[in-house]
Amino acid sequence: MAHHRQPIMTLTAEQTTTLPFPIGCPVWYNGVSSNNEGTEAPILKRGTVVSVTLVDKSSPWVYTIEHREGEEVVSDDVLESGVCFSDNCPVQVFPKKFSRVDPPLNDSKDEGIVMFGVISLKGENRYTVMIPNKDSPETRFEENVEEGRLMFRKPPQEILAGNGEEEDQVQANRKRARGRPT
């Protein structure tokens, strides 16, 4: 779903860390594809969140998501309701009865990887998450995990690499956001 209104606020990478799908998060999202007859059909696309904007105060966040079509990088603007975690997405898993908006007081969350999701048109997406045991070679799978119990986490290699790409993105977003309300 494309949105062409001028955004009133573009978030920095740091500001998106509390959102369901922050900058850098791999996602599936609703898209359309033209078929041989020239008509459009709904499809899921896989990409990475590169920007998050607010178009007006009554609308949800709009996610700019990039994906590749051959050699070309294409971006789409998608409402939050049309976005979900992609397979192989690294996540933190909050215990039942808690969520990313109501986290536990202690640091009792697991690190896992989304294996696959069951996408709901009602916005009640659920996932199967693989949760490796840090102290042994065992792994457990948790099924039917509500989206609110998951939060994107950077994979360890990205945290250690410190390649500056995220800082470059933060700086670019800051330049775009100057003069806009924050």
Side-chain angles (χ1 to χ4, degrees):
M1 174 180 274
H3 298 275
H4 301 289
R5 294 180 284 176
Q6 186 67 23
I8 60 172
M9 180 173 53
T10 300
L11 299 181
T12 66
E14 184 179 340
Q15 290 170 323
T16 67
T17 59
T18 59
L19 295 178
F21 312 104
I23 290 175
C25 183
V27 295
W28 287 107
Y29 64 100
N30 295 326
V32 291
S33 177
S34 297
N35 60 23
N36 292 338
E37 291 93 36
T39 58
E40 293 184 341
I43 61 166
L44 281 178
K45 294 182 180 181
R46 184 177 179 176
T48 303
V49 175
V50 295
S51 180
V52 183
T53 57
L54 183 65
V55 181
D56 64 55
K57 293 178 183 175
S58 63
S59 295
W61 298 108
V62 175
Y63 291 82
T64 301
I65 302 168
E66 286 186 350
H67 70 276
R68 290 198 170 276
E69 290 182 7
E71 295 295 317
E72 185 180 359
V73 175
V74 179
S75 66
D76 293 309
D77 292 335
V78 184
L79 290 175
E80 186 173 304
S81 60
V83 181
C84 65
F85 292 107
S86 174
D87 52 324
N88 292 320
C89 180
V91 291
Q92 292 177 336
V93 184
F94 291 95
K96 291 180 181 173
K97 299 181 184 176
F98 293 99
S99 70
R100 66 178 164 263
V101 288
D102 182 27
L105 295 176
N106 59 15
D107 203 20
S108 65
K109 52 190 173 286
D110 292 315
E111 291 186 352
I113 298 171
V114 172
M115 298 308 294
F116 61 89
V118 177
I119 312 309
S120 167
L121 296 175
K122 297 176 184 176
E124 300 167 357
N125 302 332
R126 298 194 177 257
Y127 302 87
T128 295
V129 180
M130 178 178 70
I131 303 171
N133 185 331
K134 294 178 185 177
D135 301 323
S136 77
E138 297 174 359
T139 296
R140 70 181 165 92
F141 291 86
E142 189 169 338
E143 298 177 321
N144 209 23
V145 178
E146 301 92 357
E147 191 165 85
R149 289 184 48 217
L150 301 178
M151 178 180 251
F152 173 70
R153 67 174 172 84
K154 288 185 182 181
Q157 64 270 21
E158 285 186 31
I159 294 169
L160 295 174
N163 60 13
E165 288 181 21
E166 180 176 303
E167 185 59 31
D168 292 346
Q169 180 66 46
V170 169
Q171 293 303 323
N173 283 346
R174 282 184 181 147
K175 286 179 185 175
R176 277 197 300 267
R178 283 197 180 111
R180 296 186 190 146
T182 53

